[in-house]
Amino acid sequence: MRIYFDHNATTPLERSVVEVMTTVLTENFGNPSSVHYFGQQAKGRLDDARIALGALIGAEPSEIVFTSGGTEADNFALRGVAEALEPTGRRHLIATTIEHEAVLVTLKALARRGWRVTLLPVDQTGIVKPDALSEALSDDTALVSVMHANNEIGTIQPIAELAARAHARGALFHTDAVQTVAKVPVDVRSLGVDLLSLSAHKFNGPKGAGALYIKRGTRITAILTGGKHERTRRAGTENVAAIAGMGEAAKVGAGKLTQEGRRLAALRDRLEQGILGGLPGTAVNGSLAPRVPNTTNVSFEGVEAESLLIALDLEGIAVSTGSACSSGTLEPSHVLRAMGFPAHRTQNSIRVSLGQGNTEEQVDYFLGKLPAVVQKLRSLTGVRR
Ligand SMILES: Cc1ncc(COP(=O)(O)O)c(C=O)c1O
C-alpha cells in the first residue's frame, strides 16, 4: 500500500493532461512563433491554454503570461515591478514573514540592491492583519506581495482587503496563488490584485509550467529578455506541451472545483478529528478557517517530525514536514517559527496535504497506523502520554 498525502509539494497528472501533452509532443511540435501551419498549430495550443487559465481565474487571456512555474512568476512580479517603478522613487516593498522562498529570497536580493523591505508579522492564527499592512505602507511603497494561501498550513489571507489598502496608498499588489488556484475559487477582479502567480504542477498539471496574471496596464518590466514572445513580456520559446497540459488541468480543475473542495474538506476534517481525538499531545497549527480544503499541519508533542515522516514512509504513507525545499535538511519551518511557536513545536509538526485520488479508506489506514508509530517514537525520546 502506497498513499500519497503530499499534494502541496506536487500532484499527479490528470489522465487527460497526459493525453493532451502526448498529442502536442508528437503532433504539434511546431514553434508557436512560426507563421506556417506547424507553427500556427502550436500557437493554437497556447491560445487555448491562455483562454482556459483566464477563465479559471477571471482574467482576460491577454493578461496571462506563461512562465516556467510559480518561482519564475514570483520573481517576475517582484523584480519586474521593482525595475519598472525604480525611476518613480518608490523604493519600498512589503511582504509577510510566511511567504514562500520564491518571494522571500527574491526580496533579499532586492534588499541587497537598495530596496527597503518590510515583512509583516503573523500570529499563531497564521493570518495577516490588514492594520499591520496599513501601518507598514508608506508613500514610497512600490509593491505589496502577500500569498493567497500558505503552502505549509493552508491559511487563506484576506487578499481583497489587503489589496484595497495597498492601492489606497498607490502601491501595486501581487499575490502568490500557487496553493489556491483550482483548490478554491480564485477571481482576480474580486481579489482586486494587479499580479497573481500560479503553477501547473499544484493542480494536476505538469512541472515547469506556470503563469503570471498581469492586470492590463500594470507597470512591469520583463526579466527574461530576447525575442518578442508573450508580447515581449517573457522571452523564450514557450514550453508548448507543458502549457497545453496546464490549460487542460485548468479546464478539469474548474469543472470539479466546488465538488472536489467539499470532498477534500470532509476527508481533511475526518483526518484531523481522528488524530486529535485519538492521540493526546497533538494540535493543529494555524487557524482552522479560512483554509484551503486539502491541508492540515499537526504538531505531535515529543516526536521529531523528520523521524515521523520516515516512519510513516516505511508504512507506505508520504507526508511532509513543510515546504518541499526544506525537506532533506533539519531546518525548522520558517512559517511555524514566524507564527511564534516555540522551537520544539516547529520541529514536531507535519503537513498532510490531500488531493485527487485520496479516499476515506486511505485516511482510515493512516489513522490506524499512526498511534503505534507515534507511541514508538515517543518511547524512544522518553515522552510518556
Ligand atoms: C506558495 C508557493 N509559491 C511558489 C511555489 C513555487 O512553485 P514552482 O514549484 O512551480 O516553482 C510553491 C511550490 O512549492 C508554493 O507552494
Side-chain angles (χ1 to χ4, degrees):
M1 176 96 130
R2 285 273 164 206
I3 300 179
Y4 186 73
F5 280 162
D6 197 13
H7 291 81
N8 287 9
T10 198
T11 56
L13 291 188
E14 185 79 48
R15 188 177 298 274
S16 62
V17 168
V18 178
E19 282 160 13
V20 166
M21 290 180 70
T22 307
T23 308
V24 173
L25 285 168
T26 51
E27 293 170 25
N28 309 131
F29 61 86
N31 185 325
S33 298
S34 299
V35 291
H36 49 59
Y37 171 84
F38 295 93
Q40 292 312 298
Q41 290 288 302
K43 181 170 179 302
R45 291 294 192 167
L46 297 184
D47 293 343
D48 283 352
R50 222 184 288 281
I51 292 167
L53 274 186
L56 182 64
I57 62 168
E60 293 295 322
S62 61
E63 294 174 313
I64 304 285
V65 176
F66 296 126
T67 65
S68 64
T71 300
E72 187 191 321
D74 286 344
N75 268 265
F76 184 10
L78 301 176
R79 294 176 190 270
V81 167
E83 192 166 332
L85 294 192
E86 199 165 332
T88 66
R90 288 185 178 256
R91 297 283 284 166
H92 180 220
L93 302 165
I94 300 177
T96 78
T97 48
I98 61 167
E99 296 302 309
H100 189 268
E101 286 83 353
V103 167
L104 289 177
V105 176
T106 304
L107 288 175
K108 271 193 193 146
L110 289 167
R112 281 195 296 273
R113 287 180 17 209
W115 286 80
R116 198 157 56 80
V117 175
T118 305
L119 295 182
L120 305 175
V122 294
D123 60 15
Q124 293 191 358
T125 62
I127 295 179
V128 180
K129 304 247 179 316
D131 286 348
L133 174 60
S134 294
E135 274 167 39
L137 280 162
S138 76
D139 291 338
D140 75 335
T141 308
L143 176 72
V144 178
S145 178
V146 178
M147 69 200 319
H148 194 193
N150 182 266
N151 45 305
E152 295 190 28
I153 54 171
T155 49
I156 295 179
Q157 305 298 337
I159 296 300
E161 172 72 27
L162 296 168
R165 295 200 187 197
H167 288 153
R169 294 297 293 273
L172 292 173
F173 195 94
H174 165 248
T175 189
D176 174 340
V178 165
Q179 293 292 349
T180 50
V181 166
K183 280 186 196 162
V184 297
V186 172
D187 180 71
V188 290
R189 310 276 177 233
S190 49
L191 290 174
V193 297
D194 304 293
L195 301 140
L196 178 145
S197 304
L198 61 88
S199 174
H201 75 102
K202 308 291 184 175
F203 58 96
N204 306 104
K207 292 162 191 61
L212 182 66
Y213 155 77
I214 305 175
K215 186 179 171 187
R216 189 193 312 255
T218 302
R219 290 174 72 177
I220 186 163
T221 304
I223 57 168
L224 280 184
T225 51
K228 295 195 169 55
H229 313 86
E230 300 294 296
R231 296 164 65 218
T232 70
R233 291 172 298 182
R234 196 268 192 187
T237 302
E238 294 86 350
N239 185 352
V240 184
I243 291 167
M246 172 163 63
E248 173 63 17
K251 281 184 211 165
V252 176
K256 60 171 196 199
L257 189 64
T258 317
Q259 184 194 344
E260 182 67 354
R262 256 191 234 126
R263 191 185 77 85
L264 292 178
L267 276 188
R268 190 263 320 270
D269 292 347
R270 182 184 186 91
L271 183 100
E272 256 174 14
Q273 282 151 20
I275 298 175
L276 301 183
L279 274 168
T282 52
V284 173
N285 295 315
S287 171
L288 300 187
R291 258 194 310 176
V292 283
N294 77 318
T295 307
T296 184
N297 191 305
V298 185
S299 143
F300 297 80
E301 213 178 293
V303 173
E304 186 71 54
E306 298 284 327
S307 311
L308 181 54
L309 185 151
I310 292 163
L312 286 172
D313 194 38
L314 292 174
E315 297 286 352
I317 302 160
V319 299
S320 150
T321 53
S323 82
C325 318
S326 66
S327 57
T329 74
L330 281 171
E331 279 271 300
S333 149
H334 77 275
V335 174
L336 298 180
R337 217 170 24 190
M339 289 164 72
F341 285 120
H344 64 87
R345 188 143 167 187
T346 65
Q347 283 163 342
N348 70 13
S349 298
I350 60 162
R351 175 184 75 185
V352 182
S353 50
L354 307 171
Q356 179 181 318
N358 287 150
T359 60
E360 241 175 49
E361 291 71 45
Q362 293 180 340
V363 167
D364 292 346
Y365 182 84
F366 173 73
L367 290 172
K369 291 285 178 193
L370 193 63
V373 170
V374 169
Q375 267 147 33
K376 186 165 168 211
L377 293 173
R378 280 178 174 163
S379 71
L380 294 176
T381 50
V383 173
R384 286 196 166 275
R385 269 281 169 194

